[in-house]
Amino acid sequence: MTATPSELAWGHGRIRAAFASPEALRIAGRGLELRIRAAEPTLTPFTGTYFFTDPGDGSGVFTSYETGYRYRVTVLSGQVRHIGAEALGTAERAVVVSGDAWEVAIEELPGTRAPYVPEQAFDEVVTAARTAFTAFADDVAPWRSDRTPAAELACYVLWSAIVGPSGFVGRPAVLMSKHWMDKVWSWDHCFNALALAGGRPGLAWDQFQVVFDHQDDQGALPDSITHAEVLRNFVKPPIHGWTLSRLRGRLPGGLPETERVYRQLAAWTTFWLDHRRVPGQPFAHYEHGNDSGWDNATPFADRRLVRTPDLAAFLVLQLNELAVLAGSLGDSGAAARWRALAGDLLTALLDRLWDGTRFVSQPASPGSSLLDLMPIVLGEYLPSDVRDKVVAGLDSHLTDIGLATEQPSSSFYEADGYWRGPVWAPATVLIEDGLRRAGAVELADLVSARFRAVCEKSGFAENFDALSGEGLRDRAYTWTASAYLLLAGDASLRASSG
């Protein structure tokens, strides 16, 4: 097989496939026979795929119980035969196309549609796809060069995961993956928004807002959304104030819809302060590791309801961002109130979750998790003595691959342990930014360079083995691609500015 962003070819180039649209795949062949069949041969009243020949246009139609969609195969040229049309029970169901030169179109149909008529020849379809991708890459990564060899692939991971509005997804959205993590989670979307901001600002703002479109009456964001469901059993960490502060500098013209986003961020922050704090306590808590985004990290090993220093740090940044937004809207009173809340929470964090050598969760963590070092995101807000000790702690988590989420020397470390060892994109981006704002530029450069190197070696996996660099879990994850684009773009800018 050979693959480019615009075309897949196999059979020594004798069969070629390209998308004419998100709903229509064109396949052209020479000589070889192609069989398109239902993967599951058994059809029951509740599972499997029914197949029939449409008497109107002669196309073959597969109707899937599992997806609720129809898949129509129209033969544009060549010979065709249908196998197992209208069969029940266990049978082969297939469209077989052959001939010296043949072509088919496979459409995904939510219901019905007029018979398929091609608007372009196959080579024109390939050219249009190539042009669209090149324009996307030029917009999102205009800085790419031989020094950023994975930039084009990162752009492809993002570009190929864009879906149109459908169902609960009310805007163009970048899914986390087209493999099996095919949702939008409510912190993953922030990194995609940041990566797209400079070159595709409208699409970037859609990424930030697509989750806020489902903010509930108490201000909480859903855990995840798809076209078919909105899940609210968990939330995700409040990194959205941090994200807005970064978007302000990346979006051409600054933040749009300032009044609207101020209301959204205020409601999201108030959710944490009103509904996730014990009365009289300064700190909000996670109800489960899933709420933190670090599902099984060791701070949640003994107890699930935990007050962690990362959550307090994120809320400090979010409160400060609310002060900035309120000030830009001319509400100096609200700005002062938000800033005072931020100051009080920062003071409590330093007084009660800093033990003189490190930040600690309540209850205390049994392991050695990178999560407890996440207050580096506070950057310039950290006192110098605290900053220096946190930086030293981060240095102890840095392997040749990147920041291990659990120290490799820890008894809890697992090479493929999800948040108990592997290197992850979101923690890398947040920490790199905090280090740089805290003045620890040398360590920030190392964190950036090592993460970029593992992406260039292993692609854009969901996470990476912290010692070998092997890509783990979902192998094409958009926030990993976005992290690479953010770090590589910033590094390129620093290099060009001297």
Side-chain angles (χ1 to χ4, degrees):
M1 294 186 183
T2 59
T4 68
S6 56
E7 181 182 13
L8 172 69
W10 67 99
H12 301 287
R14 288 186 289 171
I15 302 180
R16 304 160 63 203
F19 279 100
S21 72
E23 299 83 21
L25 179 69
R26 298 270 287 275
I27 307 178
R30 295 179 290 108
L32 295 178
E33 179 180 271
L34 181 70
R35 181 178 301 246
I36 302 162
R37 63 177 177 84
E40 171 53 57
T42 300
L43 175 66
T44 77
F46 307 104
T47 63
T49 302
Y50 174 59
F51 175 60
F52 66 94
T53 300
D54 189 317
D57 60 12
S59 61
V61 181
F62 296 90
T63 298
S64 169
Y65 279 98
E66 281 77 9
T67 68
Y69 278 78
R70 294 179 168 212
Y71 302 90
R72 181 170 66 185
V73 182
T74 302
V75 175
L76 305 177
S77 62
Q79 290 79 54
V80 63
R81 67 183 190 273
H82 292 175
I83 299 172
E86 302 180 57
L88 302 178
T90 300
E92 182 178 13
R93 300 168 180 85
V95 174
V96 181
V97 60
S98 59
D100 293 337
W102 51 262
E103 187 177 347
V104 300
I106 306 176
E107 299 170 89
E108 181 183 68
L109 304 176
T112 190
R113 189 181 292 154
Y116 185 82
V117 177
E119 296 181 355
Q120 296 174 303
F122 185 87
D123 285 341
E124 292 173 329
V125 168
V126 174
T127 298
R130 184 185 305 119
T131 299
F133 173 71
T134 300
F136 181 86
D138 287 346
D139 288 344
V140 173
W143 39 262
R144 65 193 190 280
S145 69
D146 293 343
R147 295 190 302 274
T148 56
E152 188 165 294
L153 181 59
C155 289
Y156 176 76
V157 170
L158 283 175
W159 180 73
S160 64
I162 299 170
V163 296
S166 177
F168 291 117
V169 178
R171 306 163 179 264
V174 179
L175 301 181
M176 300 310 99
S177 173
K178 280 288 189 74
H179 287 188
W180 58 279
M181 303 289 279
D182 53 347
K183 294 184 176 186
V184 178
W185 273 270
S186 61
W187 70 313
D188 309 47
H189 71 118
C190 293
F191 301 94
N192 291 342
L194 287 167
L196 293 167
R200 293 288 174 102
L203 183 61
W205 192 244
D206 281 335
Q207 301 325 296
F208 188 80
Q209 286 292 327
V210 70
V211 172
F212 278 94
D213 288 343
H214 295 280
Q215 191 169 26
D216 71 15
D217 292 342
Q218 304 304 316
L221 298 179
D223 183 42
S224 65
I225 62 171
T226 72
H227 70 288
E229 67 179 15
V230 177
L231 298 184
R232 298 187 183 275
N233 50 336
F234 297 106
V235 292
K236 285 293 176 278
I239 67 165
H240 302 81
W242 171 85
T243 304
L244 285 171
S245 70
R246 307 278 80 77
L247 281 173
R248 184 180 294 107
R250 291 180 179 272
L251 286 168
L255 296 179
E257 303 182 281
T258 304
E259 186 173 349
R260 180 184 186 209
V261 79
Y262 172 66
R263 292 195 305 270
Q264 292 170 333
L265 193 67
W268 177 221
T269 308
T270 301
F271 160 78
W272 286 97
L273 300 181
D274 289 355
H275 300 286
R276 289 295 183 89
R277 285 201 301 187
V278 175
Q281 293 292 321
F283 304 118
H285 59 266
Y286 294 127
E287 295 177 345
H288 186 281
N290 290 357
D291 285 340
S292 74
W294 295 51
D295 308 0
N296 68 329
T298 50
F300 307 100
D302 291 341
R303 298 282 298 274
R304 259 52 67 192
L305 273 78
V306 182
R307 294 177 294 277
T308 58
D310 72 300
L311 178 53
F314 291 144
L315 288 171
V316 169
L317 294 180
Q318 197 141 294
L319 289 161
N320 278 323
E321 178 62 20
L322 284 167
V324 171
L325 290 169
S328 71
L329 293 169
D331 192 340
S332 58
R337 289 192 296 273
W338 292 122
R339 207 169 294 284
L341 286 171
D344 291 344
L345 184 53
L346 178 60
T347 298
L349 172 64
L350 294 170
D351 286 348
R352 298 176 61 170
L353 296 186
W354 176 255
D355 71 359
T357 60
R358 64 190 183 99
F359 285 103
V360 293
S361 297
Q362 295 177 343
S365 166
S368 182
S369 177
L370 188 66
L371 187 66
D372 287 335
L373 293 162
M374 289 304 295
I376 193 63
V377 298
L378 289 166
E380 66 274 22
Y381 297 110
L382 286 176
S384 59
D385 60 326
V386 174
R387 177 200 62 205
D388 292 345
K389 290 173 182 175
V390 173
V391 168
L394 289 167
D395 190 55
S396 72
H397 278 260
L398 186 64
T399 72
D400 290 342
I401 304 305
L403 290 164
T405 46
E406 183 77 14
Q407 277 193 352
S409 60
S410 166
S411 61
F412 289 91
Y413 177 84
E414 299 175 47
D416 185 10
Y418 225 51
W419 293 92
R420 293 192 180 190
V423 173
W424 285 77
T428 299
V429 170
L430 286 160
I431 289 170
E432 192 268 356
D433 175 73
L435 285 168
R436 210 166 286 284
R437 288 187 293 108
V441 174
E442 184 176 347
L443 184 56
D445 287 344
L446 272 177
V447 167
S448 173
R450 291 183 185 181
F451 186 81
R452 285 181 279 127
V454 75
C455 290
E456 290 162 2
K457 170 189 173 184
S458 300
F460 302 104
E462 188 180 354
N463 52 76
F464 303 95
D465 185 307
L467 301 180
S468 72
E470 178 188 358
L472 303 172
R473 307 300 174 110
D474 197 310
R475 298 307 177 94
Y477 210 79
T478 55
W479 74 357
T480 311
S482 288
Y484 179 85
L485 291 170
L486 288 166
L487 297 173
D490 288 349
S492 295
L493 182 63
R494 289 193 296 271
S496 64
S497 63

